[in-house]
């Protein structure tokens, strides 16, 4: 299947929001805010997260490659500079082995119900890399899970095999099943 990639911005907000709403706010109301500085937790609601995400999108402080089939958004891959998406899972282990700071992070990958195992996650990650290339390229880190041991519903950062299929290399483990993977992305002309 051939998908189209569009960046998350004001023109794609409605399609993004529709997918989020069709999927219970994503992970119970996160609205893909969990990796932003504001985070999510007991003091936030789905409505608060939605408003915060919309504000970030309108000000250009949220990045994602959205995967479309026609006018329907099927999933996305969130990315950003470390300041934009500073919250990562297994933070203590990550910081212990960190020697450099990446230019970009892949924060969250999501595929809507009914569209999983159809290449959407791979298209989203590839789309994020293309958008990163258009934004000047640089070093990219991701924090995927080894799916042989983790249920698909818990793959917030995506599957290790998806990253490796797109040329990422394993740097180090930062959890029982979580890896830091890296890739250099050349700027597009």
């Amino acid at each position: 299947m051939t998908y189209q990639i569009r960046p998350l911005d004001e023109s794609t907000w409605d399609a993004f929001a529709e997918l989020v709403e069709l999927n219970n706010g994503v992970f119970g109301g996160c609205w893909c805010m969990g990796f932003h500085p504001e985070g999510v937790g007991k003091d936030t609601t789905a409505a608060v997260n939605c408003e915060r995400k919309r504000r970030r999108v309108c000000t250009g402080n949220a990045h994602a490659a959205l995967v479309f089939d026609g006018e329907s958004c099927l999933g996305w891959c969130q990315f950003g500079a470390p300041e934009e998406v500073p919250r990562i899972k297994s933070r203590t282990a990550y910081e212990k082995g960190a020697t450099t700071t990446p230019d970009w992070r892949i924060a969250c990958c999501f595929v809507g119900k009914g569209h999983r195992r159809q290449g959407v996650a791979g298209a989203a990650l590839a789309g994020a890399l293309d958008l990163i290339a258009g934004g000047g390229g640089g070093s990219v880190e991701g924090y995927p899970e080894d799916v042989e041991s983790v249920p698909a519903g818990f793959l917030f950062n995506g599957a290790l095999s998806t990253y490796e299929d797109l040329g990422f290399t394993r740097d180090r483990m930062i959890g029982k099943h979580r890896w830091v993977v890296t890739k250099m992305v050349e700027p597009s002309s």
Side-chain angles (χ1 to χ4, degrees):
M1 180 165 268
T2 303
Y3 299 117
Q4 301 83 44
I5 303 298
R6 299 181 198 156
L8 175 59
D9 59 24
E10 289 184 79
S11 73
T12 57
W13 171 261
D14 289 342
F16 168 80
E18 182 178 339
L19 178 62
V20 172
E21 290 168 359
L22 286 171
N23 288 274
N24 190 32
V26 179
F27 305 118
C30 175
W31 277 83
C32 208
M33 283 297 297
F35 297 96
H36 286 300
E38 301 91 333
V40 296
K42 291 186 273 185
D43 299 333
T44 62
T45 64
V48 167
N49 291 334
C50 173
E51 179 52 39
R52 286 177 175 171
K53 187 66 170 195
R54 183 163 178 86
R55 194 171 329 130
R56 281 187 156 277
V57 168
C58 290
T59 59
N61 292 306
H63 296 87
L66 305 182
V67 179
F68 281 83
D69 181 14
E71 293 305 309
S72 298
C73 182
L74 308 180
W76 67 77
C77 179
Q78 178 188 43
F79 65 94
E83 309 80 53
E84 184 180 313
V85 285
R87 294 172 171 264
I88 60 173
K89 303 225 180 262
S90 306
R91 182 83 188 192
T92 301
Y94 172 82
E95 289 177 349
K96 238 185 231 182
T99 57
T100 61
T101 302
D103 297 311
W104 301 92
R105 283 190 171 139
I106 304 295
C108 179
C109 299
F110 180 79
V111 178
K113 293 175 192 162
H115 303 289
R116 296 175 184 148
R117 301 201 181 279
Q118 297 174 18
V120 175
L125 182 55
L129 294 174
D130 286 345
L131 292 172
I132 287 169
S139 60
V140 181
E141 273 187 357
Y143 316 99
E145 301 276 348
D146 183 348
V147 295
E148 298 189 13
S149 333
V150 179
F154 295 96
L155 294 174
F156 306 110
N157 298 108
L160 178 60
S161 59
T162 304
Y163 284 77
E164 289 179 328
D165 287 348
L166 290 169
F168 281 84
T169 57
R170 297 178 192 200
D171 181 55
R172 66 191 187 280
M173 287 193 84
I174 56 170
K176 188 173 180 184
H177 310 288
R178 183 170 291 116
W179 285 85
V180 174
V181 294
T182 61
K183 178 178 176 93
M184 280 301 296
V185 174
E186 295 298 321
S188 58
S189 20

